[in-house]
């Protein structure tokens, strides 16, 4: 998930109710930050989901 930011990872879950994704970053010492969690409805991850995760990643990076 380098297109979102360095250290960003993804967990993929397949269940009876569909496919789900969790985008998170664990490189900051104070916590594991979940940037976005959503249900996948198509093969490709929607631009809106990527943009939201990137926005949240940038907000975390700016925190003192």
């Amino acid at each position: 998930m380098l297109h979102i930011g360095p250290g960003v990872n993804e967990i993929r879950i397949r269940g009876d109710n569909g496919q789900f994704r969790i985008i998170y970053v664990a490189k900051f010492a104070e916590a594991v930050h979940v940037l976005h969690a959503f249900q996948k409805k198509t093969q490709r991850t929607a631009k809106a989901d990527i943009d939201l995760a990137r926005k949240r990643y940038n907000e975390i990076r700016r925190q003192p």
Side-chain angles (χ1 to χ4, degrees):
M1 305 256 54
L2 286 176
H3 52 283
I4 294 175
V8 175
N9 295 295
E10 176 183 50
I11 297 173
R12 298 174 179 201
I13 302 167
R14 279 193 179 162
D16 293 337
N17 296 330
Q19 294 187 34
F20 300 86
R21 298 290 187 269
I22 301 164
I23 300 173
Y24 70 97
V25 63
K27 75 175 203 164
F28 302 110
E30 69 277 1
V32 172
H33 297 272
V34 175
L35 303 174
H36 190 35
F38 55 98
Q39 183 174 10
K40 294 259 309 189
K41 306 234 178 186
T42 63
Q43 281 289 103
R44 191 173 176 104
T45 302
K47 183 180 181 320
D49 290 316
I50 297 294
D51 290 346
L52 180 58
R54 186 179 296 124
K55 176 183 176 276
R56 290 175 176 169
Y57 177 84
N58 289 331
E59 289 172 359
I60 292 167
R61 269 192 6 196
R62 286 188 224 123
Q63 290 179 356

